[in-house]
Amino acid sequence: MIDSLDVFSSAHSFQEEDLRDKAVVMIDVLRASSTMVTALHHGAKGVIPVGDMGDASKISHNLDSESFLMSGEKNGIKIDGYDFTNSPLEHTGEEIVNKTVILNTTNGTKAIRRSGHATQIIVGAFLNLNTIVDYLQQIDEEVVLVCAGWRGRLSFEDLLCAGNIIYELCSGKLPVNARDAVKVAFGLYEKFADDIEGSIKSSNYAVRLKGVVSEEDISYCCQRSKLQVLPILNEGIISDFNDKEK
């Protein structure tokens, strides 16, 4: 598995062709991945990731108004007219049960849209880390961990999560022939593993979000393996693959 594993540090660090015939795990800890995982855990029928407000509007016009919710943010702030922001804690109530969430975010949903040549797109976060690791151990394709980043730049928390996934996949012993980006992510996790929440709260993006995003949101996103959800994109909709297996 580790021999066929790679990491991209942001949604702009790869060409779309780089992902052809590979399985992608999209990681956006703060907060798109965490929100998708949480919404599905609490009963959402599915999540449709969109690249911008125009796409969201077109999709919503083709759905029954009672069947969906609009969620999203621009630079961390709720989009006018939407039901929710990109807060996972807003996606826990009865109002999302059996609803399709149309999700529009600055980084995470755009990373998914750029990964269209992948054989499959899986959504990963700290919240469902063990579920992601268990699934990756069962597949044969080459796997790429795509960190969403922030506007094309590396985000500490996404690379840290990628490193945690790698650490678990190789049982804490990284092969010498691992690719450079894999080594970097693994090393980052080794350094900060003892204080995931504290190190993420001091990251550039978390500091940038202060005053916009609640402290509870960030703490929640730092919890490891809290939810057993396996979000996989199929025909434009992300749903919990584990539900289909039951």
Side-chain angles (χ1 to χ4, degrees):
M1 167 58 70
I2 297 298
D3 293 344
S4 59
L5 186 67
D6 206 353
V7 178
F8 287 116
S9 60
S10 80
H12 295 277
S13 64
F14 61 88
Q15 300 298 316
E16 294 182 33
E17 272 295 322
D18 293 337
L19 303 182
R20 186 176 293 279
D21 300 327
K22 299 171 185 176
V24 164
V25 179
M26 193 287 294
I27 302 168
D28 186 359
V29 173
L30 300 177
R31 294 168 293 167
S33 292
S34 301
T35 296
M36 293 181 209
V37 169
T38 301
L40 292 173
H41 174 77
H42 286 277
K45 185 176 181 180
V47 178
I48 301 176
V50 298
D52 55 41
M53 285 184 280
D55 287 344
S57 180
K58 289 176 186 176
I59 291 170
S60 67
H61 287 154
N62 291 320
L63 297 175
D64 185 306
S65 61
E66 298 298 315
S67 70
F68 71 90
L69 295 166
M70 303 280 282
S71 298
E73 52 75 30
K74 186 173 183 181
N75 299 322
I77 300 172
K78 180 181 175 183
I79 299 171
D80 286 344
Y82 279 28
D83 298 289
F84 299 120
T85 66
N86 183 30
S87 166
L89 297 179
E90 291 182 9
H91 292 75
T92 60
E94 292 183 1
E95 61 269 34
I96 72 157
V97 176
N98 292 322
K99 295 288 181 68
T100 298
V101 178
I102 301 173
L103 184 64
N104 176 21
T105 71
T106 304
N107 304 296
T109 57
K110 291 177 176 59
I112 290 173
R113 302 283 289 186
R114 291 203 73 228
S115 303
H117 290 318
T119 56
Q120 55 182 317
I121 300 173
I122 307 141
V123 177
F126 282 112
L127 289 170
N128 66 334
L129 193 138
N130 279 352
T131 302
I132 293 295
V133 171
D134 290 345
Y135 180 71
L136 294 181
Q137 289 172 333
Q138 301 171 36
I139 65 175
D140 296 326
E141 297 124 301
E142 183 172 349
V143 174
V144 179
L145 307 179
V146 172
C147 301
W150 183 72
R151 293 184 172 179
R153 301 181 67 179
L154 180 151
S155 284
F156 171 87
E157 66 279 358
D158 295 343
L159 196 59
L160 184 64
C161 184
N164 197 166
I165 292 171
I166 294 163
Y167 187 91
E168 298 300 328
L169 283 173
C170 67
S171 301
K173 296 180 181 179
L174 189 66
V176 293
N177 60 343
R179 293 172 179 170
D180 289 351
V182 171
K183 293 176 182 176
V184 170
F186 180 91
L188 188 73
Y189 174 72
E190 278 196 312
K191 180 173 178 59
F192 293 99
D194 291 338
D195 187 13
I196 295 292
E197 182 174 342
S199 57
I200 287 178
K201 284 184 174 179
S202 66
S203 70
N204 290 165
Y205 192 52
V207 171
R208 195 180 295 119
L209 288 175
K210 283 184 178 177
V212 177
V213 174
S214 72
E215 187 93 0
E216 292 78 15
D217 246 33
I218 295 177
S219 294
Y220 174 79
C221 293
C222 295
Q223 295 179 82
R224 283 188 276 187
S225 303
K226 179 181 175 68
L227 307 177
Q228 294 181 331
V229 177
L230 184 62
I232 295 182
L233 183 72
N234 182 37
E235 296 183 352
I237 301 176
I238 295 168
S239 57
D240 184 4
F241 186 75
N242 283 341
D243 270 351
K244 298 176 182 178
E245 292 291 287
K246 293 175 183 177

